[in-house]
Amino acid sequence: MRLDLYDRLSGLLPEENIIKNEDMSRHTTFRVGGPADYFVKIDNSGSLNEVLTLFREMGLKMQEDYYVLGNGSNLLVADSGYRGVIVSLCGEFAECEIESPCIIRAGAAALNVAVANLARDNSLTGVEFAHGIPGSIGGALVMNAGAYGGEMKQVVKSVTAIDEEGQEVVLSSDELEFGYRTSIFKKKKYVITGCLIELNNGDKAEIERVMNELKEKRISKQPLEYPSAGSTFKRPEGYFAGKLIEDAGLRGYTVGGAQVSEKHCGFVVNKGGAKADDVYRLIADVQNKVFEASGVKLSPEVILLGDFDA
């Protein structure tokens, strides 16, 4: 990382918004990961544009040299940390509001639960599924997050982002290339800033009933008492990842402080004191053992950041 980066960032942002050697275990739901060289908080679109312009001028590349963090709910940062800049959107990017009847405008850093609650409070239905999905809207858009039969694809009207040349673009739902746990943002290195979510009028009591029902399902079936990144593996076509893992005899399988959840085999959890390398090695072991047992290759949903041993 270039030595003059801090000085140039401090010319654009308040110094308290630029943190050196920030421990990433504080910013991921796995609660593991080493320090990032710089952790930068950006709370408005003007500052974001200036910082991204600086990165382009310095030849910094997304993911390799800087990473835009959501809620850290799908991220595994190496124990050695990240030799780059973590960009954390906050302030105006964390806001969500009713744009017009049946339309919610949500910033990329708005939490999924906040958007679902706003919809409920305004008797809007369609996004109940997102109430229990950890993370932010930006991350949910990248992954086309979903649960219990709902997914972002069903409710997103458009997404606003900044492209690789620094231009603001608005992508309609037809342009987002949503698929199972994927979107156009898996291919394009765009910085998502927000979206419009289109819902339907509904009954507030019924919306709340559905949300409570889904909450109870999560509590009863998922290991919410331990740090994790939610479902660790994508669902292979024709199979369920958790069932394949259980059938391979891996319920409770442990590497260091990381464990295949005894409650739900689709979750890798931090039972206490886990290192990022424990999680990484456990994921690799599960992939190998499931393939040996069933011939199915599991693909992780988790994004890796930093250097992991091969």
Side-chain angles (χ1 to χ4, degrees):
M1 192 55 56
R2 302 185 184 188
L3 295 178
D4 63 344
L5 180 57
Y6 181 84
D7 290 337
R8 298 189 68 177
L9 283 171
S10 63
L12 302 176
L13 302 169
E15 288 195 10
E16 60 267 24
N17 285 21
I18 310 167
I19 306 170
K20 293 182 180 180
N21 299 315
E22 176 71 355
D23 189 346
M24 289 304 295
S25 66
R26 299 176 58 190
H27 303 283
T28 64
T29 56
F30 264 131
R31 296 292 179 257
V32 300
D37 285 351
Y38 297 99
F39 187 91
V40 174
K41 294 183 283 188
I42 300 179
D43 59 12
N44 66 83
S45 56
S47 294
L48 178 61
N49 287 329
E50 290 179 334
V51 168
L52 293 178
T53 297
L54 171 62
F55 289 168
R56 287 193 300 276
E57 290 174 352
M58 297 184 71
L60 305 186
K61 297 179 180 179
M62 183 184 284
Q63 195 111 348
E64 296 173 38
D65 302 305
Y66 71 94
Y67 181 84
V68 181
L69 180 72
N71 197 44
S73 60
N74 208 37
L75 186 65
L76 182 64
V77 181
D79 294 316
S80 58
Y82 177 60
R83 304 286 72 79
V85 183
I86 297 292
V87 175
S88 176
L89 300 181
C90 55
E92 69 178 48
F93 298 109
E95 297 173 357
C96 56
E97 61 184 3
I98 301 297
E99 172 84 357
S100 61
C102 296
I103 300 289
I104 289 177
R105 178 179 294 277
L111 295 180
N112 297 320
V113 63
V115 173
N117 286 342
L118 178 65
R120 176 202 60 205
D121 293 345
N122 287 273
S123 301
L124 297 176
T125 184
V127 76
E128 291 90 335
F129 70 90
H131 184 260
I133 297 178
S136 63
I137 286 294
L141 293 169
V142 172
M143 295 295 295
N144 185 27
Y148 298 110
E151 58 184 351
M152 296 303 292
K153 176 182 180 178
Q154 299 167 355
V155 297
V156 173
K157 180 179 177 65
S158 65
V159 174
T160 304
I162 299 174
D163 69 16
E164 294 168 87
E165 285 72 47
Q167 300 299 311
E168 183 176 88
V169 294
V170 179
L171 302 174
S172 69
S173 57
D174 292 337
E175 297 174 293
L176 294 171
E177 299 180 17
F178 279 133
Y180 176 66
R181 300 300 176 263
T182 191
S183 71
I184 193 173
F185 304 110
K186 288 284 192 175
K187 300 186 297 185
K188 303 260 188 193
K189 296 187 183 299
Y190 290 178
V191 176
I192 298 170
T193 56
C195 71
L196 295 181
I197 294 173
E198 187 169 23
L199 303 171
N200 297 306
N201 289 313
D203 178 74
K204 183 176 179 181
E206 175 61 15
I207 293 167
E208 188 153 24
R209 186 197 67 77
V210 171
M211 287 168 61
N212 287 335
E213 182 180 289
L214 296 182
K215 179 181 178 181
E216 289 304 314
K217 284 184 179 181
R218 288 187 175 94
I219 291 172
S220 66
K221 296 181 179 181
Q222 298 178 7
L224 303 180
E225 64 272 28
Y226 295 109
S228 77
S231 297
T232 307
F233 299 95
K234 297 178 183 178
R235 185 180 67 243
E237 188 172 354
Y239 299 91
F240 291 99
K243 180 70 162 54
L244 290 170
I245 295 167
E246 182 174 10
D247 289 348
L250 296 173
R251 181 181 295 275
Y253 180 78
T254 300
V255 174
Q259 183 187 66
V260 172
S261 170
E262 295 175 301
K263 192 173 186 180
H264 189 314
C265 290
F267 284 63
V268 172
V269 298
N270 179 353
K271 284 295 292 284
K275 301 291 187 182
D277 190 59
D278 296 337
V279 177
Y280 177 76
R281 288 190 293 121
L282 188 148
I283 288 173
D285 285 353
V286 168
Q287 288 178 291
N288 292 333
K289 293 177 185 295
V290 166
F291 186 74
E292 290 172 3
S294 66
V296 178
K297 185 68 172 179
L298 294 178
S299 298
E301 288 191 17
V302 177
I303 296 169
L304 304 179
L305 198 63
D307 293 326
F308 290 87
D309 294 333

